Amino acid sequence: MVSSPHEAMHRIFQDRPELFSRVSEVLGIDFSPPTSVTILPTDLTETRPLERRVDTLLRLEMGDDEPLLLAVEAQGKKDPAKPASWAYYASYLLTKYRLQPMLLVVCQDRATAEWAARPVRFGPPQWPLLTLRPLVAGPHNMPVITDPAEVNKDLALATLALITHVTSPDIGAILKSMTTVLRDTPHAIAYPIIELIAQGLGKHPAAALWRKLVAVDLSFYKSSLSEELRDEGRAEGQAKGEAKGQADAILFILARRGIDVPDEARERITSCDDLDILHHWLDRALTASSADEVFADE
């Protein structure tokens, strides 16, 4: 099953095709910006029994130079079968379109990225017939962007870099710099980026932080995601409010009954967020002769 990070890592090139020239620059390869881009069908099936699909396929018009075909593949883990598939894509695209193909592989972990970047030779060792050399973008070579000013310079590049650094120790600062910029970004541009990042983070721990930042920093955002976040926030706030009310009631009853509440007991009551336990303590507070009796059966 295709994961949401997989989709985000290549679909950003469909939304922002000009991103390739910036990524290639970051990776140290000189490709001038395309003058126009055409999104092509991704189905590379040659015969019905064997279906092959590249993740994203773009035709890049390069001004005075020959157009390029850019295949973008999102790779989540090492797969020994992939190099042969990639070689098939390259030869098929060259045969079908008569244009030179390029393969960009996007990864979210360094080990997979370094594996994907290895040249793979096909044919006998004495005379390799074909050498496959994908261009690879991953956490080992994409920039860690924590400065909003740098994010603002190139939102598309910053978004892809963020997705590749999903497990970085700096992910909190990376996400915060993104929301700082998106607050002042036109909604038509901000909305797709917010959704792409949510997809790209998948089930990683950083996804929870992104959800909170979207709910707080990007409160203008309207989507099923944002409404879900705000519903969760309202429910969480309501539960916390009820817990605080129960704790205050316990302390009020004990105080009115002249029962001393040591600091340790007070902290235990006010820090509890389990409504069932608080209800039980409230019931005990009505008859307890000491604070310890409130917790007697715990």
Side-chain angles (χ1 to χ4, degrees):
M1 180 179 295
V2 176
S3 65
S4 57
H6 178 281
E7 289 296 289
M9 284 191 283
H10 72 85
R11 283 208 47 198
I12 187 173
F13 289 90
Q14 296 180 21
D15 294 343
R16 304 293 287 272
E18 74 281 1
L19 175 60
F20 174 66
S21 62
R22 289 289 291 116
V23 173
S24 64
E25 180 183 338
V26 169
L27 302 182
I29 311 296
D30 184 21
F31 284 102
S32 58
T35 55
S36 67
V37 176
T38 305
I39 299 177
L40 301 175
T42 60
D43 188 350
L44 305 186
T45 306
E46 189 169 9
T47 59
R48 284 301 164 195
L50 181 62
E51 182 175 295
R52 297 182 185 271
R53 290 182 182 273
V54 66
D55 288 334
T56 283
L57 181 61
L58 305 172
R59 174 183 168 126
L60 308 181
E61 303 295 337
M62 309 302 292
D64 294 334
D65 296 328
E66 183 182 1
L68 289 178
L69 291 177
L70 174 65
V72 183
E73 285 278 286
Q75 192 65 28
K77 61 182 180 180
K78 298 177 184 179
D79 181 354
K82 269 296 181 178
S85 296
W86 292 338
Y88 171 87
Y89 297 164
S91 60
Y92 177 90
L93 292 172
L94 181 60
T95 301
K96 180 175 181 177
Y97 293 100
R98 300 298 177 183
L99 294 173
Q100 294 302 320
M102 276 290 301
L103 173 63
L104 174 65
V105 181
V106 184
C107 306
Q108 287 184 305
D109 71 273
R110 186 183 184 115
T112 301
E114 292 179 342
W115 164 82
R118 296 175 308 155
V120 179
R121 293 175 176 83
F122 298 92
Q126 326 72 308
W127 194 272
L129 174 65
L130 173 69
T131 299
L132 180 74
R133 291 186 62 208
L135 194 59
V136 178
H140 66 305
N141 58 9
M142 291 297 286
V144 175
I145 305 177
T146 58
D147 182 352
E150 290 301 312
V151 174
N152 201 39
K153 286 181 181 178
D154 195 324
L155 262 175
L157 180 67
T159 300
L160 182 66
L162 183 158
I163 291 171
T164 63
H165 286 292
V166 65
T167 60
S168 167
D170 298 313
I171 189 62
I174 294 171
L175 293 174
K176 185 63 179 178
S177 67
M178 179 61 71
T179 57
T180 298
V181 171
L182 291 179
R183 279 202 304 263
D184 300 321
T185 300
H187 295 182
I189 297 174
Y191 286 3
I193 290 175
I194 294 169
E195 291 291 346
L196 269 171
I197 292 172
Q199 280 189 319
L201 297 178
K203 296 181 179 179
H204 289 280
L209 176 56
W210 180 246
R211 292 166 70 87
K212 291 183 183 298
L213 288 171
V214 169
V216 176
D217 290 358
L218 305 176
S219 57
F220 63 83
Y221 184 54
K222 303 295 182 184
S223 75
S224 56
L225 169 64
S226 62
E227 291 305 315
E228 178 186 341
L229 292 174
R230 282 186 263 283
D231 288 343
E232 289 177 1
R234 284 191 287 269
E236 182 180 354
Q238 182 178 358
K240 287 182 178 179
E242 290 182 17
K244 183 179 185 304
Q246 291 290 323
D248 289 345
I250 294 168
L251 295 174
F252 176 78
I253 290 171
L254 293 175
R256 291 296 297 266
R257 296 184 62 232
I259 296 174
D260 181 60
V261 182
D263 290 343
E264 183 179 350
R266 183 179 299 274
E267 172 63 23
R268 185 175 178 182
I269 292 169
T270 57
S271 63
C272 181
D273 57 6
D274 189 314
L275 290 175
D276 290 337
I277 293 175
L278 288 167
H279 285 315
H280 182 65
W281 289 348
L282 179 60
D283 185 57
R284 295 297 299 271
L286 296 171
T287 58
S289 59
S290 68
D292 286 342
E293 283 192 19
V294 174
F295 315 116
D297 58 351
E298 294 297 313

